[in-house]
Amino acid sequence: MNATPSQVRDPQLHLARINAVDCEKLAVDAVDLAELIAVSPATIERWCKRGVIPHAKIGKCRMFPVAVIKDWLAKLAQEQCPAIFSPNADGHRNDPVAATL
């Protein structure tokens, strides 16, 4: 399931939001996921219909495994912002915040 930048505008922000929540559930529904990553439930449903976001459909209910969503967002963030996530010459990841100080 590949997303384009226009479909998922800021995966880093979404990933930070979902990582900040102490989520002990294995999976969440569309409404809970929308709240976790600060998008509307309609956006989640639209992404599902377009095949953008990984999910499991159980009957009529769509469920989103939290670990899979975290991995998906991390992958999107890395694809969209490779300079931030690639190691520099000394093997450390680039830190855009430290670079501006």
Side-chain angles (χ1 to χ4, degrees):
M1 294 187 189
N2 296 325
T4 63
S6 63
Q7 292 170 318
V8 182
R9 294 174 195 215
D10 195 349
Q12 289 176 287
L13 181 61
H14 298 318
L15 182 60
R17 286 184 174 134
I18 201 167
N19 280 333
V21 175
D22 184 22
C23 188
E24 295 179 10
K25 296 179 183 179
L26 292 176
V28 294
D29 63 14
V31 173
D32 289 340
L33 180 60
E35 184 178 322
L36 283 173
I37 64 172
V39 299
S40 72
T43 296
I44 298 294
E45 291 299 325
R46 188 171 52 254
W47 288 349
C48 288
K49 289 177 184 174
R50 293 180 182 166
V52 173
I53 191 168
H55 64 281
K57 195 166 183 183
I58 303 168
K60 293 183 179 183
C61 181
R62 284 190 173 105
M63 297 302 293
F64 304 86
V66 174
V68 173
I69 295 298
K70 286 181 179 183
D71 290 344
W72 173 73
L73 287 169
K75 182 180 175 193
L76 283 176
Q78 187 171 10
E79 288 172 359
Q80 292 179 20
C81 308
I84 294 172
F85 292 95
S86 5
N88 57 24
D90 62 0
H92 294 92
R93 287 187 174 173
N94 296 319
D95 186 348
V97 175
T100 61
L101 298 177

